[in-house]
Amino acid sequence: ETTSDWEDLNVRHMHTTERVQHILAALPTNYREVLNCRFLYNLSIKETAQQLGLTEANVKVLQFRALKRAAELDPLVARTSCK
């Protein structure tokens, strides 16, 4: 791979990171906390529930709703989703 390939990859990564940060910032706090625990800190459902003082069932529901809302907030995902 050339330097140009690495630069292009880096630019795409920066755009993806910015998109994710923008989407997370637009989510309600409880959704954001669940997604951070699950995907940033790689906690299990059980660990996330313990960390946030929630039930495991509640974590599952919040994660589902957060991912659904995040997909709705991201125009790139919204354009390519099958409904």
Side-chain angles (χ1 to χ4, degrees), residues 52-64:
L52 299 177
L54 302 169
T55 66
E56 292 179 39
N58 196 223
V59 169
K60 290 176 187 179
V61 169
L62 288 171
Q63 178 179 313
F64 174 81

Side-chain angles (χ1 to χ4, degrees), residues 29-83:
T29 302
N30 57 343
Y31 288 5
R32 188 171 47 252
E33 288 174 340
V34 167
L35 293 183
N36 282 336
C37 286
R38 294 287 291 129
F39 301 110
L40 183 63
Y41 302 117
N42 202 29
L43 299 181
S44 67
I45 296 286
K46 183 176 184 176
E47 292 167 331
T48 300
Q50 291 170 344
Q51 180 71 28
L52 299 177
L54 302 169
T55 66
E56 292 179 39
N58 196 223
V59 169
K60 290 176 187 179
V61 169
L62 288 171
Q63 178 179 313
F64 174 81
R65 290 178 182 169
L67 291 172
K68 184 176 182 207
R69 175 81 59 88
E72 292 167 354
L73 291 170
D74 187 350
L76 185 63
V77 173
R79 280 190 306 224
T80 59
S81 293
C82 297
K83 294 187 177 189

Side-chain angles (χ1 to χ4, degrees), residues 2-4 11 14-15 20 24-25 29 31 34 39 48 60 70 80:
T2 67
T3 302
S4 177
V11 168
M14 287 181 356
H15 287 293
V20 169
L24 286 173
T29 302
Y31 288 5
V34 167
F39 301 110
T48 300
K60 290 176 187 179
T80 59

